[in-house]
Amino acid sequence: QVQLVQSGAEVKKPGASVKVSCKASGYTFTSYDINWVRQATGQGLEWMGWMNPNSGNTGYAQKFQGRVTMTRNTSISTAYMELSSLRSEDTAVYYCARGSPGYSYEFDYWGQGTLVTVSS
Amino acid sequence: QSEVTQAPSASGTPGQRVTISCSGSSSNIGKNYVFWYQQLPGTAPKLLIYRNTQRPSGVPDRFSGSKSGTSASLAISGLRSEDEADYHCAAWDDSLSGPVFGGGTKLTVL
């Protein structure tokens, strides 16, 4: 069965960077885009960007351009999202989500989420 | 600030039919597919409705989606206590070149 398993919770200081991983199993990793979506406590969902694991091509939401980097390691079927220059407003649960074939923004499977807390 | 809006809350009693609405614009819902995600308390979202009206395998037919113009709706019939969750709509936005989510609607089963 398709699974996306994310790395554990992180606590970071303002100005630092965080790197969250998302390990895929149960399907061919390079055949489906990986998206990242975040959710602040009590708030809605916010799309951050996508990555094609086959080519490494990426597309980022304008809000995060210059601060976010999405990469992958195909040998271990793992995608990564790194967010830099963290501020308190970045405190949120970060999800990876698989894009379905033909519609990268149709998120058919989600990781369990990774809580990132930014606090001095 | 979301380009797509949802009422923050909705409620119904067991067995009732409830509708959750999602309002957008010509750059998102007006010309692109709408998706609905169900988020049970403390869990990750789950795809509930895709491409306006389609249900993934395993989603009960009590859930249905529709779209008209720049608005979309999710209907839940025969409401059950386990339907208590947050429901998020989403659509691609041509102006933003990315998907945009509504703020989510918290459904309470009374």
Side-chain angles (χ1 to χ4, degrees):
Chain A
Q1 72 283 20
V2 174
Q3 280 194 304
L4 298 173
V5 179
Q6 299 182 221
S7 48
E10 303 262 12
V11 179
K12 296 292 182 181
K13 292 193 183 304
S17 296
V18 68
K19 191 171 186 178
V20 179
S21 68
C22 171
K23 182 170 177 60
S25 62
Y27 73 98
T28 302
F29 176 64
T30 51
S31 295
Y32 299 80
D33 291 348
I34 291 289
N35 293 260
W36 290 87
V37 177
R38 76 177 188 179
Q39 184 176 36
T41 301
Q43 302 300 308
L45 301 169
E46 182 176 33
W47 177 76
M48 300 179 69
W50 64 270
M51 181 194 64
N52 181 309
N54 185 46
S55 63
N57 288 345
T58 56
Y60 304 139
Q62 188 170 12
K63 175 177 178 177
F64 299 101
Q65 284 190 4
R67 279 211 305 146
V68 70
T69 305
M70 296 177 187
T71 57
R72 87 291 191 209
N73 183 333
T74 56
S75 67
I76 56 172
S77 300
T78 299
Y80 303 92
M81 186 284 298
E82 184 170 19
L83 189 62
S84 62
S85 303
L86 289 169
R87 35 210 189 228
S88 58
E89 310 89 88
D90 294 319
T91 295
V93 175
Y94 290 76
Y95 295 101
C96 60
R98 192 184 82 162
S100 71
Y103 294 92
S104 174
Y105 56 99
E106 177 180 299
F107 309 139
D108 59 0
Y109 289 92
W110 295 64
Q112 84 275 20
T114 296
L115 175 62
V116 175
T117 303
V118 183
S119 173
S120 55
Chain B
Q1 186 173 351
S2 183
E3 307 289 330
V4 171
T5 58
Q6 298 179 242
S9 63
S11 63
T13 56
Q16 197 174 21
R17 173 185 168 94
V18 297
T19 301
I20 295 170
S21 298
C22 179
S23 177
S25 68
S26 58
S27 66
N28 45 63
I29 293 177
K31 62 172 67 170
N32 295 303
Y33 286 126
V34 176
F35 303 84
W36 290 92
Y37 298 90
Q38 179 192 56
Q39 187 174 27
L40 297 170
T43 70
K46 165 193 161 186
L47 182 62
L48 190 67
I49 297 288
Y50 65 99
R51 300 177 213 174
N52 300 337
T53 62
Q54 305 302 302
R55 282 187 309 276
S57 173
V59 173
D61 59 7
R62 301 186 297 107
F63 295 89
S64 62
S66 64
K67 178 182 131 173
S68 178
T70 59
S71 296
S73 295
L74 172 71
I76 310 172
S77 60
L79 195 63
R80 299 183 178 185
S81 58
E82 58 260 39
D83 298 332
E84 191 161 282
D86 292 329
Y87 292 86
H88 307 270
C89 64
W92 182 267
D93 191 291
D94 291 343
S95 300
L96 300 176
S97 296
V100 62
F101 289 91
T105 296
K106 181 177 183 61
L107 175 64
T108 301
V109 181
L110 301 170

